[in-house]
Amino acid sequence: MEENQNVKEQENQNYDASQIQVLEGLEAVRKRPGMYIGSTGERGLHHLVYEIVDNAIDETLAGYCDRIEVNILDGDVIEVVDNGRGIPVGIQEKMGIPAVSVVFTVLHAGGKFGGSGYKVSGGLHGVGASVVNALSEWLEVQVSDGEHVYMQRFRRGDSEHELKIIGDTAETGTRVIFKPDAEIFTDTTRYDYDILLTRLREQAFLNAGVRIILTDKREDGDKNEDGTNRQDILHFEGGIKSFCAYLLEGKRAEPIHEDVIYLKAEQKDNMAEIAFQYNSGFDSKILSFANNMHTVDGGTHESAFKNSLTRTINAYARKFKILKDNDPNFKSDDVQEGLAAVVSVKLTDAQFESQTKAKLGNTSMGSMVSSMVNEQLSLYLEDHPATAKVILDKVMAASTAREAAQKARELQRSKTSFTKVRMPDKLADCIWDNPELTELYIVEGDSAGGSAVKGRDRNYQAILPLWGKMLNVEKARIDKVYGNEKLSPVVMALGAGIGDDFDISKLRYGKVIIMADADVDGSHIRTLLLTFFFRYMPQLVEEGHVYIAQPPLFEVKKGKQKRYAFSDEERDQYIAELGGNADVQRYKGLGEMDAEQLWETTMDPQFRSMLRVRLDDFDRADRVFSDLMGDEVEPRREFIEQNAKFAENLDI
Ligand code: 1YM
C-alpha cells in the first residue's frame, strides 16, 4: 500500500478531494466502509457481490464473455467466474506491477484502466474490486489467459504474495473468490439467495443476452424440494422488454395489448430505451435505471418519460377526436393507470442528485427521452390503431374514475368538516390524545372486541372491532375504498386521511396493532389490512407504526402455576419446567379468552409480544402483496402459514 501511495503522489500534481481519497488507499475503505458500499448491513454485504459481477458484465457487454457464474459457497464465501479475456496480467506501467494486482489494491483502478464505454461514476457503482478486497477477510483472484492460470491472494486488502502462476490452461477468464470480513459486517455475513437473485435478474434484464447462473452451494443453503442445490439461470434475449413483461408476472393484472412497446434512441455515447405495456390493473409500476443502477428517486429520464407519454397520448386523443375541443387534457395519473414500464439510459457523464444518489440529474437525458417518446410513440400509435384504441379506452376509464373519486373525497371532506372529528360508532376510544402514547387495537370479531374493551387500559388503548365485508384493495380503485364499511372506520379512527391526502402529523395513535386469531381467517384479515396500509398509507408502515399482536397459542397450568406459550417449543419447555403432567389448553381464538387473560397475554405492554411490520424494500413488498392478493392460492397459503416470519424476515 505504501508503495502505491508514493507512486500516486508523484503522478498527481494537483490534488482535489477525490484524489486525496485515492492517496489514502484501502485503509480508508476499512475505516469508513459505509462511504464506499452504502452500509455495512445486509445491503452492503450483498453489494460486494454486485461490484465483482459488474466487472464481469462489462466484459460481456464488450463482447468477450457469455457466461457468468455466481456461487454461494460454504461459510458464505462468494465465487464469481466469467469466461472473458481475463483481467490483464501484464505489468501496468505506472505502478510497475501486474494490472490485475492494481485492480485489486488501488481505489478506483477499474474505471481508469477498464475504459469501458458507459461505466462511469455512478454513485456506488464502479468503486470496484479493490473495495471488495479491502472489506474481505480474504480474497483470491485467478486469471486464465489461454496459457497459464495466475493467482494472487489477499488478506483484508493486503496481498499475501505477488501474482504467481499455478497451472496451465487453454481457457480464458476471471475467477474471484472472497469471504466478507466479519469484523466489518458485524450485523450479518449470511447471504440471502433471494436478494442476490432479484438483483442479478435485474442485471440480466438490463443487459440483454448476458447469461448469469446463480447457485447456492452451501450445505445449509437454499435447496430445491428434491434436495438439490437451488439454482437460477438468468438469460433474457428480450432485455428490458422481458423485464416489462416480468413486472406483470404473478400479478392479478393481465396485459391489455399483446406487444410490449419498445422505444430506443442513441446519440453519440448516450443511449435510452424504454419498454412499456398497459395492464388491466390500476397500479402503475415504472422502474428507471441509469447505467444499470436503479434510480429509485427517478430523475430527468423518468420524468421526461412520464411527461412526454402524457403529452403524446393527449396529442393523439385530440388528433383523433377522442378528446373534444372543450374536454380537459388527460392527467398523468390517468395515463399511468395500469402502466408497467422500464426506462433504462446509459450515458458517459451521469450526474446524480439527492443524498441517496438515486436520482439522475442530467438535463440532456431529459430532452433525449422526450424527443424519443414524442417521435417514436406517436408513430407507433398511428401504425397500431388497435393497440392505440385499448390504451385510450383505458386512459379514458381512469379519467372518469378519477373524477368520481374526487367527488367521493369531497363528499367525505364536507361530511367531516361539520362535526370536526367524526369517529366511527364502534370505536372505543382512549382518554389520552398524545399519539406518542396511544395505541389502536384493530380487532376481528365482536366477542374478542368486547373482551379487549373490558381488558384494556383505557387511558391509552383504543379498540376498534371490525365487521362487515373486507375489500381486497388490490382489486379496487380508490373510490371503492372510501365507501367500504370495513375500511372507512379504520381511516376515520386513524384521522390522518388516505392516499395523496394522507398526513401523518394528524395520526391519532402512534401504534396501530392488528389483533386477529392465529388461524386462516385471522391471517386473511391481517393480509388485507396490511395490503390496505401498504397501498394507501405507506408512510404508516414505513415509519414503523404498524404492529401485529401475538396472542399465545397455549396455556400451560400446574397447580397454581400458569404460563402462556407462543409456540409448540415453548409449550414443551414449560411442561418440562413444571415437571411434566401439566394441563395444556390450546386457545382456538381470541374470543375464548376473557378480558383479564387477553390483557395479561396480548395487551399488557409489560408482557405482550408484538411484531413490528417493517418496509425496508418497497419493491419486494410490492411483489409480495401482488402475489398474495393475486389469483394463485399457493403463495397466499404460504403467507398465511408463515405470517410471523413474513413480518419479521421479509422486511415488510
Ligand atoms: C469475476 C470478475 O473482473 N472480469 C474481467 C475484468 C476485466 C477484464 C475482463 C478486461 C478488461 C479490459 C481488458 C479492458 C478488467 N480489466 C481491468 C483492467 N470478472 C472480471 N474480465 N482486458 C480484460 O477493459 O480494457 C479492470 S476490470 F483495468 F485491468 F483492464
Side-chain angles (χ1 to χ4, degrees), residues 52 55-56 59 80 82 85-88 99 103 110 113-114 174 176:
I52 299 297
N55 290 338
E59 186 67 354
V80 185
D82 72 42
R85 289 167 293 178
I87 305 178
V103 167
F113 306 97
T174 306
V176 176

Side-chain angles (χ1 to χ4, degrees), residues 550-612:
Q550 297 284 285
L553 296 174
F554 305 100
E555 183 190 276
V556 182
K557 210 156 103 180
K558 186 168 175 184
K560 282 190 182 146
Q561 296 199 65
K562 187 166 76 175
R563 299 201 190 158
Y564 298 106
F566 292 85
S567 67
D568 290 358
E569 292 78 37
E570 236 178 0
R571 173 199 59 196
D572 296 342
Q573 188 193 329
Y574 290 158
I575 296 174
E577 282 174 17
L578 294 175
N581 263 337
D583 283 336
V584 178
Q585 188 200 341
R586 183 183 186 100
Y587 288 118
K588 289 200 205 70
L590 294 165
E592 274 182 25
M593 280 189 252
D594 62 29
E596 196 189 339
Q597 281 174 322
L598 197 58
W599 164 256
E600 266 178 19
T601 60
T602 317
M603 298 176 70
D604 180 355
Q606 275 198 294
F607 295 107
R608 72 185 173 193
S609 136
M610 305 196 296
L611 297 175
R612 187 185 213 156

